[in-house]
Amino acid sequence: MIRSGRKVVVLFWAAVFCSAAWAEPSLQEARQLWLTGRYAQAQAAYEALLESQGDRAAVGLARCLIQTGKRQQALALLEKRRSSSYAPLHVERARVFFSQGRLKACQQALEQALKLDPQLPQAHWLQAQLHLAQGHLEAAAQEYRWLVRFYLEHQERITQPEVLLAIAQGGAQHARWNRLHDQFSFLVNELLPDVLKLDKYEYRAWLYSGRLFLEKYNQAEAQRCFHQALQINPRAPKVLAALAALALQNYRLDQARRYLQRALEINPELLEAHRLWCDWHVANFQLKQARRWIQKALRLNPKDLESQGRLVALEVLERGLPQGQQWSDSPVVRRLQEVERWNPRPVQMYLAAGVLLARANQLPAAVFFLRRAIDCAPRVPGARAELGLVLMRLGHEADAAAVLRQAFQEDPFHVRVSNMLQVLDLLAGYATLETEHFIIRYDRGQDALLAKAMAFLLEQEVYPRLCRHFGFEPQGKTLFEIFSRHGGTSGHEWFSARTVGLPYVGTVGACTGGMVALVSPHESEKGFNWGRVVQHEFVHVLNLQQTRFRVPHWLTEGLAVELEGYPS
């Protein structure tokens, strides 16, 4: 039996309407079709309800159109009813305007909605997002507080899942900005499950829970939530995009590609998918393709700050971060100034630029934009965590420690920050061996002899041979850290946490350009040639620093294997 297709749906409803036992579908039935991903059926149902249910059916129909990439059709439908007295219709109008970057029109539609219903949480949530998009952070904070107060005053009387979803999103922002750490558990364990009690088909409750886990790098819980959402709606574009983001966090590029392709097949106008395609191409060192995708995103919404941030990052990846006299006349600065004209505090742009540059190993440039994000909006979390992790990759551990402690106070649920602080505590007890060109840190009880042998090999053989080969010497002393078992945690887990802040990396050595981490050979059951690993990783140090972190991964990996100094 064919279960989808516009022709089949139309024939089905024609048969229903011609039946002597015809019964008009209900709004609830149409909504259920929409929430479970049967968009063509839902659209037909809402169309059948337009005459009897008017504005409510129009809102449902518009959502079906939006979900399948037909925003302009949805807006045309809603604009025909802009004199309506139904407040949610104007919120839906505002939402479409916002998604197109038409911020003035969005504000006008929201004012119309709030004039009709000043107590409509969906309108207040979107108003907060509009303030944030314009850099009015204090006004946004007031709207988040309003949503929290509304919930406290009306929680026993709330019967609409849409209301709880708006409150959950506003409550999450209020908690982030005010370091209300216990609210995270409340949101994922009580408030969002309450949405599902009101409507078991509300897959968005699982989506929002998963996003909260994903931002804190609790990947197992994020994946569980996203798959629960897909159980309800296997054709939810935003859930597929969220799974793509999770895959990209782990550099599972083939998996991310499949999710993004599926998402865009359903909704070709999905902004998140366009941004993630940009990230995907950057991970593959395909900057021209990445630029094409982010330009598509900006055509969908020229005021989207995350897309603007990615475009800034691409400018830096292609031309480098401007220095000195180049600063005032560079494309990067012109882009920043253009955005700052309509948003004087574009924290999301700076953060997006910093994160993408960090993923592309442009660590000094990432530090610049992450610090700028913190300076323009100190209370907005996220940037400090990213900055601390980047500083650790650069080997600036003292600076990183201070930043990471602040980030942990902002968000103690951030898994990578928590793990990295434990690594710093471990390193505080390590011994240090310093030579002319290297600093080696190690567990004095297990790896003292190894550290001395490594120092000898690095100074007498590796450094002179490889620096001569590349015609380049790194700035300052290169940091090497050797990780062994401690406190019931294996050396490999400590090494992984030091490298990425998560418990597993499938190798025994890693280089971030500013430092090298490796597992003690005492930790490996099979054993490995540590001298070969040391030389391999020092090639990466030289390649990354010599090219200012612009060498493709495949090239430096090939050079490292070629110059390891030992037969394979």
Side-chain angles (χ1 to χ4, degrees):
M1 178 181 177
I2 298 174
R3 297 183 180 273
S4 63
R6 179 71 179 158
K7 184 176 179 181
V8 173
V9 174
V10 171
L11 290 173
F12 168 74
W13 283 109
V16 170
F17 294 153
C18 293
S19 168
W22 173 78
E24 186 179 79
S26 69
L27 283 170
Q28 185 58 38
E29 288 167 340
R31 176 184 168 83
Q32 182 179 327
L33 290 168
W34 171 63
L35 286 172
T36 53
R38 291 172 284 181
Y39 303 123
Q41 294 97 317
Q43 183 175 335
Y46 280 121
E47 286 171 349
L49 287 163
L50 277 174
E51 186 174 348
S52 62
Q53 297 295 332
D55 293 338
R56 287 172 174 78
V59 169
L61 178 55
R63 288 178 172 181
C64 293
L65 293 167
I66 292 166
Q67 194 82 316
T68 52
K70 303 179 184 74
R71 285 185 308 171
Q72 204 53 43
Q73 285 180 243
L75 184 58
L77 170 73
L78 296 169
E79 284 296 273
K80 289 178 182 178
R81 296 172 177 268
R82 60 184 173 186
S83 60
S84 168
S85 60
Y86 183 53
L89 183 139
H90 300 294
V91 174
E92 205 63 37
R93 288 175 59 226
R95 188 174 286 120
V96 179
F97 287 133
F98 186 78
S99 75
Q100 295 176 329
R102 298 169 63 184
L103 304 188
K104 184 176 179 180
C106 176
Q107 182 63 63
Q108 291 170 346
L110 280 175
E111 288 171 0
Q112 200 169 349
L114 289 166
K115 185 177 180 180
L116 291 165
D117 185 354
Q119 299 290 302
L120 188 61
Q122 300 95 302
H124 284 275
W125 162 244
L126 189 53
Q127 182 69 75
Q129 294 305 91
L130 180 59
H131 285 316
L132 186 59
Q134 296 171 313
H136 306 152
L137 303 188
E138 204 44 58
Q142 289 175 13
E143 293 293 347
Y144 299 142
R145 286 194 293 271
W146 185 96
L147 286 161
V148 172
R149 284 198 304 271
F150 182 90
Y151 177 74
L152 294 174
E153 293 169 4
H154 299 90
Q155 57 183 304
E156 301 299 328
R157 299 188 295 278
I158 296 174
T159 59
Q160 296 179 342
E162 299 273 353
V163 170
L164 280 186
L165 288 171
I167 291 168
Q169 292 173 95
Q173 284 287 67
H174 180 70
R176 290 184 190 101
W177 288 22
N178 294 281
R179 302 185 181 183
L180 303 176
H181 312 311
D182 59 325
Q183 292 304 297
F184 169 69
S185 296
F186 171 74
L187 289 168
V188 297
N189 294 318
E190 296 186 46
L191 183 56
L192 287 167
D194 283 346
V195 174
L196 289 160
K197 291 176 185 176
L198 292 175
D199 187 345
K200 65 180 180 180
Y201 298 107
E202 255 302 355
Y203 72 92
R204 291 176 294 177
W206 287 114
L207 171 62
Y208 296 165
S209 291
R211 284 174 174 171
L212 287 170
F213 284 118
L214 186 61
E215 76 178 42
K216 299 170 191 311
Y217 287 86
N218 189 334
Q219 296 180 341
E221 281 301 304
Q223 186 167 32
R224 181 184 70 83
C225 290
F226 295 147
H227 282 293
Q228 288 283 358
L230 285 185
Q231 289 292 314
I232 300 170
N233 184 350
R235 301 184 69 244
K238 290 191 176 184
V239 177
L240 295 167
L243 282 163
L246 175 58
L248 277 172
Q249 273 192 5
N250 295 298
Y251 290 91
R252 294 173 183 161
L253 301 184
D254 287 343
Q255 188 181 74
R257 174 176 49 80
R258 290 193 294 272
Y259 282 129
L260 290 173
Q261 287 171 339
R262 285 173 59 192
L264 286 175
E265 284 171 4
I266 300 162
N267 183 354
E269 294 186 338
L270 186 65
L271 186 64
E272 296 99 307
H274 287 75
R275 292 193 303 237
L276 289 167
W277 266 125
C278 169
D279 299 351
W280 190 92
H281 284 293
V282 169
N284 275 315
F285 300 95
Q286 298 167 336
L287 299 187
K288 288 183 179 178
Q289 293 92 322
R291 180 179 282 273
R292 281 199 290 269
W293 277 103
I294 213 60
Q295 286 171 339
K296 288 181 182 179
L298 287 168
R299 283 195 291 272
L300 290 170
N301 184 352
K303 297 295 179 67
D304 180 59
L305 290 169
E306 290 193 43
S307 297
Q308 292 285 357
R310 284 166 169 82
L311 188 55
V312 168
L314 289 173
E315 295 283 0
V316 173
L317 289 172
E318 291 171 357
R319 297 179 174 86
L321 189 65
Q323 304 290 332
Q325 293 181 345
Q326 299 174 342
W327 178 256
S328 60
D329 192 37
S330 71
V332 171
V333 174
R334 287 197 296 271
R335 174 67 53 182
L336 296 177
Q337 290 172 342
E338 180 183 332
V339 173
E340 288 167 356
R341 275 195 287 271
W342 51 267
N343 185 334
R345 300 165 77 186
V347 58
Q348 294 154 293
M349 177 180 70
Y350 296 138
L351 180 56
V355 169
L356 189 57
L357 287 165
R359 286 183 179 177
N361 277 327
Q362 290 293 299
L363 303 185
V367 168
F368 172 83
F369 285 104
L370 293 170
R371 288 197 187 280
R372 198 153 182 167
I374 294 168
D375 290 343
C376 83
R379 70 184 296 178
V380 178
R384 277 194 184 84
E386 294 294 337
L387 176 61
L389 295 168
V390 171
L391 290 171
M392 287 293 287
R393 289 170 63 186
L394 284 167
H396 302 166
E397 292 177 352
D399 291 339
V403 174
L404 287 168
R405 289 191 186 99
Q406 284 183 290
F408 185 76
Q409 290 175 354
E410 290 177 350
D411 184 4
F413 291 101
H414 195 297
V415 172
R416 292 181 71 196
V417 169
S418 176
N419 287 343
M420 204 63 80
L421 285 171
Q422 292 182 60
V423 169
L424 284 168
D425 288 342
L426 174 74
L427 289 171
Y430 269 25
T432 300
L433 175 60
E434 190 165 351
T435 68
E436 182 180 358
H437 300 108
F438 297 94
I439 298 172
I440 301 172
R441 307 190 71 189
Y442 60 94
D443 184 323
R444 59 170 53 85
Q446 301 183 65
D447 292 315
L449 184 60
L450 172 65
K452 291 179 182 178
M454 188 179 295
F456 181 83
L457 177 67
L458 284 167
E459 286 289 0
Q460 300 302 315
E461 163 63 21
V462 174
Y463 189 92
R465 179 172 68 87
L466 293 179
C467 290
R468 184 169 57 251
H469 180 86
F470 287 106
F472 175 81
E473 295 187 32
Q475 293 184 348
K477 297 184 179 184
T478 302
L479 175 64
F480 276 73
E481 293 176 344
I482 309 167
F483 289 92
S484 295
R485 179 174 296 275
H486 178 81
T489 300
S490 72
H492 193 276
E493 288 176 291
W494 284 116
F495 153 77
S496 299
R498 174 62 180 91
T499 306
V500 296
L502 296 171
Y504 182 76
V505 173
T507 183
V508 294
C511 170
T512 64
M515 59 81 59
V516 172
L518 65 155
V519 181
S520 170
H522 301 123
E523 289 285 308
S524 174
E525 293 181 5
K526 295 181 181 180
F528 61 88
N529 187 326
W530 62 265
R532 181 176 177 179
V533 172
V534 163
Q535 298 193 67
H536 180 109
E537 299 304 331
F538 191 61
V539 171
H540 291 325
V541 172
L542 295 172
N543 291 165
L544 288 167
Q545 291 194 27
Q546 188 173 22
T547 63
R548 297 183 182 178
F549 293 83
R550 295 166 68 86
V551 62
H553 178 73
W554 61 265
L555 178 56
T556 184
E557 199 60 45
L559 289 168
V561 171
E562 177 69 20
L563 296 168
E564 284 172 354
Y566 292 84
S568 58

